[in-house]
Amino acid sequence: MNVSDAIRMAFGELAGDYDHVHHDAVAHALLELAPPGAGDAVADVACGAGAVALQVAERLSASAPAVLAIDLSEEMVAVGRARAEQRGRIGAIDWRVAPAVPLPVEDGSLDLILCASSLHFLGMAALADWRRALRPGGRVGFTLPLASQFRPSGTFAELVATDLPIPEDAEQALSVASAAGFADAESRVVTVGSRAVVAVVASKR
Ligand SMILES: C[S@@+](CC[C@H](N)C(=O)[O-])C[C@H]1O[C@@H](n2cnc3c(N)ncnc32)[C@H](O)[C@@H]1O
C-alpha cells in the first residue's frame, strides 16, 4: 500500500470519531494569527472535517470565492460537508477529495493558504507548492506539533513526512517557513487542554 492509500485508510477509520473540540480550537488559534481578509481567496489544505474551512467561511464576505477545502479522505470530507450543512455554509466551501500537493489552482491565485495539524504529513513539498499558488504578498498559516509532545502511534508514525523537522519550540517553527523561502514569519505556541502545538504565519515576497 502506498502512503496516500494508507493515509486515506487511517483517516477514513478515524472520521466518525474525530476530536472536533481539539481541532476546532487549533483552527481558531491559527485564524487568530493568520486571519483572512473579507474577500480573500483561501485554501484549507488537508482540511479533514473542515475545522479551518468552516471558521474561514464564517468570516468571509458573501462575495468572496468559496474556500477550497481539499483532503485525501472521502470520509473526513463527508463529515466536513455535513458540518457545513448544519451551519448553513454549504455553498461557501468548495470540497475536494484529492491529494493536496500540488494544489489544483493556478499559480499566484490564492491570498491565504491555511493548513492545521497536517503539514507534518505533507512535508516540505507542500511549502514549495504554496509559494507557487500564492500571489505576491499572500500569506501562509500552518500549525505543527511540538517535538516534546509528538508521539505518533502505530500506522501514523509511518505516515509522517521525513523531510520536515518537527520543531522543539516557536523559534524553530519559524525556520520551517524561512527554509521554504517565506518572509516575515511569526509563530506562537498554542495550548489546547493538555496539548500544545505551534502556529506559524508567513508571507510570500
Ligand atoms: C490530523 S488531520 C487534520 C485535519 C484538519 N486540517 C483539522 O485541522 O482537523 C490530517 C489530515 O491530513 C489529510 N492528509 C494527509 N496527507 C494528505 C495529502 N497528501 N493530501 C490531502 N490530504 C492529506 C488526512 O486525510 C487528514 O484528514
Side-chain angles (χ1 to χ4, degrees):
M1 193 188 304
N2 67 32
V3 173
S4 294
D5 287 340
I7 285 176
R8 235 177 248 121
M9 184 174 285
F11 283 98
E13 285 170 7
L14 208 64
D17 202 19
Y18 197 61
D19 184 352
H20 297 298
V21 173
H22 173 77
H23 289 96
D24 287 350
V26 170
H28 181 79
L30 178 59
L31 291 178
E32 291 295 295
L33 187 65
D40 276 358
V42 183
D44 177 4
V45 177
C47 63
V52 169
L54 286 162
Q55 292 182 42
V56 171
E58 280 161 7
R59 293 177 182 222
L60 293 183
S61 65
S63 58
V67 182
L68 171 64
I70 183 165
D71 199 283
L72 274 174
S73 166
E74 195 171 347
E75 291 87 348
M76 290 290 277
V77 167
V79 174
R81 274 187 213 274
R83 298 174 83 208
E85 202 160 10
Q86 278 162 12
R87 297 181 193 193
R89 300 279 169 190
I90 200 72
I93 301 174
D94 174 9
W95 300 98
R96 311 270 186 100
V97 177
V101 184
L103 283 171
V105 299
E106 300 284 319
D107 297 0
S109 59
L110 295 175
D111 298 298
L112 178 63
I113 296 177
L114 297 164
C115 182
S117 309
S118 303
L119 180 56
H120 52 294
F121 295 112
L122 305 178
M124 293 302 287
L127 285 152
D129 184 55
W130 297 347
R131 276 176 50 73
R132 172 196 68 77
L134 284 171
R135 65 164 172 78
R139 292 170 300 144
V140 64
F142 58 85
T143 68
L144 282 169
L146 281 170
S148 57
Q149 294 197 347
F150 190 54
R151 303 277 177 275
S153 56
T155 322
F156 288 98
E158 289 158 30
L159 303 178
V160 173
T162 51
D163 66 344
L164 191 144
I166 301 297
E168 303 276 350
D169 53 30
E171 189 67 28
Q172 280 188 10
L174 294 177
S175 57
V176 174
S178 54
F182 287 94
D184 306 323
E186 289 174 48
S187 63
R188 65 172 70 134
V189 170
V190 174
T191 303
V192 179
S194 60
R195 293 149 83 184
V197 302
V198 61
V200 179
V201 62
S203 304
K204 172 178 169 177
R205 279 241 166 87

